[in-house]
Amino acid sequence: MKFSKLYFHNLAILLMGFNVGFAQDLPIVKTILSDTTSFYYTNFKKYPALQSNMPIGVFDSGTGGLTVLNAIVALDTYNNKTHQKGADGIPDFSSEDFIYLADQANMPYGNYAAMNKTDLLKEHIIKDAQFLLGNKYYNNNELFTNKKQIKVLVVACNTATAYGLSDIEQFLEQTQSKVKVIGVINAGVKGALETFEKSESGSIGVFATAGTVASNGYTNALKKIIESENYLGKIQFYSQGGVGLAEAVDEDLNYIDKRATQPRDLYKGPSLEQNNLSINKTLMKIYGFDFTDYKMLCDSKVSDQCSIMQINSPENYVRYHLVSLLEKMKATPDALPLKTLILGCTHYPFLIDEIQKVLVELRNVKMDGKYRYRKLLSKNVKLIDPSVFTAQEVYNYLNQEKLLNELDKKMQADFYISIPNLKNTQVVTEANGQRFTYDYKYGRNAGSNQEFIQTVPFSKFNIPLETSNRFQKQIPKIYELLLNSNQNNLLSPADKW
């Protein structure tokens, strides 16, 4: 069944119905469009006509969106040409250029709603779009104005899609640039429902940031498409906000510190003391936490005697949140088995092996001689990475608009990341100057339109070694593009990858 543009527009409005206000109500939009004295001002009257040789823009709140970029780069579904007989196929985007933005300084986006700062979140999201549409970036405090402008905008962040997609759409209408924006939520929903027959019953889990879960973006989209596509089975939805997991992947010190050997005052994740993020001592054997190498921080040398306990590894965050999801299902009468789990945060595919491993373990967990979760878990839970379906949507759009770059050229990508703007005297950072303090990050107000951040090329200075090693292991094509980025030539020898 084909859907009209009006259908998708109305669906987007339905998904974002919980938002208050519109893009034109955001002060940053007026600044971008009309305040010629502002750093963010962009003259869209001079925006180039869309051409096939323009890059594809992708942004996320951190490095997790590289999983979406990786899915786009690796897509080999439509263009089945080969280099020569017997050779591998040429990927569908093999001649494209990309620009990637990680708004690392302001991440995690998933926490803004809980702090009643959705207006500040929306401002960050519009600034992300403006960066990709504009031509400015920094390097070593020097401003450059030679960044390429984009032909399509991909919101790789689930939280940004949930809270800001409609705002970006309205902003783009005001710019008259004709650039289309594509988000990840509808793509993930489509992928999840494709695992069900039309008459099949079961449960779909949404594993996402707390902000994405609070938005109900996935559940609203699931309900809408189930109704419109006439699914007849009983499909239940269960969501788990993975507080701390995306942050642990990006090594946010509020949630993880691999140098720590004892509990930390800075810690914001699940603990024994938290009410809404409580580690349940009666479930310790079920969590199966790994206490080696300070992957859990405890105020006692004996884990059973901890009065303070803090999670200090991505794998242990996975364990905590999957057990929490299943306990939620267990407390629900007549819960149907979990058939499909949507990885509704771009950081989570980095931990797909750990997620699969823990789900298998939990299916076999026994308490008092009985399987605790066996009836709640299908034998093989399908993990849905929305990035694959997003990649397909990007290809189909560019192909339809005749904007695919068909030149015989090598794929190229530039990578940018936001860091605190230390030239702004109002900015408050941790002692090392590399990250905002937690209170400052979420204590700011929208509307001042200050340069809180500088957006600079990826480098060893702003990406931890463990993170770059994960790129090399799990997304080697992206790592290769990163090493060969044009922006890498701008870096000092000490900062180069």
Side-chain angles (χ1 to χ4, degrees):
M1 179 182 295
K2 292 184 178 180
F3 296 94
S4 67
K5 291 183 179 179
L6 179 61
Y7 167 82
F8 286 110
H9 176 73
N10 289 338
L11 178 57
I13 290 174
L14 174 70
L15 291 179
M16 307 309 151
F18 53 85
N19 285 335
V20 177
F22 300 95
Q24 58 263 35
D25 297 327
L26 300 173
I28 187 62
V29 172
K30 183 177 180 181
T31 297
I32 293 170
L33 297 178
S34 59
D35 185 356
T36 58
T37 66
S38 171
F39 167 82
Y40 295 104
Y41 172 73
T42 305
N43 187 353
F44 283 100
K45 291 181 180 179
K46 293 186 177 180
Y47 199 89
L50 301 189
Q51 301 290 331
S52 61
N53 62 353
M54 296 171 72
I56 296 168
V58 181
F59 82 81
D60 184 35
S61 60
T63 61
L66 291 173
T67 59
V68 176
L69 181 58
N70 187 64
I72 296 172
V73 165
L75 188 69
D76 190 9
T77 301
Y78 304 97
N79 178 12
N80 293 315
K81 296 182 294 185
T82 57
H83 293 283
Q84 56 187 9
K85 188 175 181 180
D88 292 335
I90 301 175
D92 297 320
F93 294 99
S94 59
S95 297
E96 297 291 344
D97 291 340
F98 300 91
I99 295 177
Y100 181 84
L101 167 64
D103 188 16
Q104 185 83 0
N106 293 312
M107 80 87 65
Y109 281 5
N111 290 353
Y112 285 90
M115 301 297 290
N116 295 316
K117 288 297 176 74
T118 54
D119 54 348
L120 181 59
L121 171 60
K122 286 166 175 277
E123 181 173 293
H124 293 333
I125 293 167
I126 293 296
K127 286 180 177 178
D128 294 336
Q130 181 274 336
F131 174 81
L132 291 173
L133 293 162
N135 63 357
K136 299 176 184 176
Y137 64 95
Y138 282 96
N139 187 47
N140 293 325
N141 281 323
E142 182 180 354
L143 179 63
F144 290 80
T145 58
N146 61 346
K147 186 188 76 64
K148 294 179 179 178
Q149 294 173 288
I150 61 172
K151 62 184 176 183
V152 63
L153 173 58
V154 181
V155 184
C157 177
N158 287 268
T159 302
T161 301
Y163 284 92
L165 184 65
S166 60
D167 293 293
I168 295 177
E169 288 175 333
Q170 292 169 46
F171 169 58
L172 289 172
E173 287 181 11
Q174 290 176 271
T175 69
Q176 299 182 341
S177 64
K178 300 189 183 304
V179 174
K180 178 181 174 63
V181 60
I182 294 172
V184 291
I185 287 182
N186 280 350
V189 166
K190 177 182 176 182
L193 289 175
E194 284 182 357
T195 67
F196 281 77
E197 300 294 335
K198 287 295 179 69
S199 60
E200 188 176 3
S201 296
S203 293
I204 295 175
V206 177
F207 192 17
T209 67
T212 298
V213 168
S215 76
N216 290 318
Y218 271 102
T219 53
N220 286 340
L222 283 162
K223 290 175 182 176
K224 179 69 175 180
I225 295 180
I226 284 171
E227 180 180 354
S228 65
E229 291 288 309
N230 198 29
Y231 281 84
L232 301 177
K234 183 179 181 181
I235 302 179
Q236 299 174 341
F237 316 119
Y238 297 91
S239 298
Q240 177 63 27
V243 174
L245 182 53
E247 298 89 329
V249 171
D250 273 335
E251 300 193 32
D252 184 327
L253 292 177
N254 290 294
Y255 296 90
I256 187 173
D257 185 350
K258 294 187 177 177
R259 299 165 299 177
T261 59
Q262 59 187 2
R264 305 178 297 120
D265 291 339
L266 199 62
Y267 181 74
K268 302 291 184 183
S271 66
L272 296 175
E273 299 84 10
Q274 293 277 5
N275 291 323
N276 58 340
L277 284 173
S278 177
I279 296 174
N280 188 338
K281 272 197 168 183
T282 66
L283 299 176
M284 287 302 295
K285 290 185 179 180
I286 296 176
Y287 290 131
F289 291 135
D290 181 357
F291 278 80
T292 65
D293 299 322
Y294 301 104
K295 293 175 184 174
M296 294 291 292
L297 301 178
C298 173
D299 61 344
S300 170
K301 292 183 179 180
V302 181
S303 61
D304 289 345
Q305 298 177 11
C306 296
S307 59
I308 300 175
M309 187 181 295
Q310 298 174 353
I311 300 174
N312 202 42
S313 76
E315 295 80 3
N316 281 335
Y317 274 103
V318 168
R319 291 182 174 278
Y320 171 79
H321 286 299
L322 289 182
V323 169
S324 298
L325 174 65
L326 290 174
E327 285 295 309
K328 197 179 298 180
M329 294 181 66
K330 190 173 184 297
T332 304
D334 302 320
L336 295 172
L338 185 68
K339 176 181 175 65
T340 302
L341 183 64
I342 299 174
L343 303 183
C345 173
T346 54
H347 291 70
Y348 296 178
F350 282 125
L351 297 164
I352 199 165
D353 291 342
E354 288 83 355
I355 293 170
Q356 289 175 325
K357 175 185 175 183
V358 173
L359 286 172
V360 170
E361 287 182 15
L362 294 177
R363 193 169 188 275
N364 294 313
V365 161
K366 285 185 176 181
M367 283 190 74
D368 301 324
K370 296 180 181 180
Y371 288 109
R372 187 170 181 87
Y373 305 123
R374 179 64 62 92
K375 293 182 179 180
L376 299 175
L377 286 168
S378 299
K379 190 172 184 179
N380 294 300
V381 177
K382 304 289 185 183
L383 301 184
I384 299 299
D385 179 359
S387 61
V388 176
F389 301 92
T390 304
Q392 294 173 0
E393 186 174 349
V394 173
Y395 181 90
N396 287 327
Y397 165 72
L398 292 177
N399 185 48
Q400 174 184 322
E401 299 298 320
K402 296 182 169 48
L403 287 174
L404 287 169
N405 194 348
E406 297 181 350
L407 297 177
D408 186 11
K409 61 174 288 295
K410 188 175 181 180
M411 184 186 296
Q412 185 72 40
D414 290 331
F415 300 84
Y416 298 89
I417 188 168
S418 65
I419 60 174
N421 178 15
L422 300 183
K423 293 196 300 183
N424 184 336
T425 58
Q426 296 188 34
V427 162
V428 182
T429 66
E430 294 165 0
N432 60 14
Q434 295 181 8
R435 297 175 187 267
F436 294 138
T437 64
Y438 187 90
D439 289 341
Y440 176 75
K441 184 185 296 185
Y442 298 108
R444 293 169 291 168
N445 293 315
S448 66
N449 299 333
Q450 295 184 47
E451 288 184 69
F452 299 121
I453 62 169
Q454 286 187 350
T455 306
V456 301
F458 272 37
S459 72
K460 288 181 179 178
F461 179 74
N462 50 53
I463 297 290
L465 177 61
E466 181 171 310
T467 301
S468 67
N469 289 341
R470 185 169 62 248
F471 297 163
Q472 187 173 15
K473 178 182 177 181
Q474 296 185 335
I475 47 174
K477 182 62 178 177
I478 299 301
Y479 185 74
E480 179 184 346
L481 286 170
L482 186 56
L483 292 179
N484 295 323
S485 168
N486 285 331
Q487 301 310 93
N488 215 16
N489 297 326
L490 296 172
L491 302 174
S492 66
D495 284 350
K496 283 189 178 181
W497 287 86

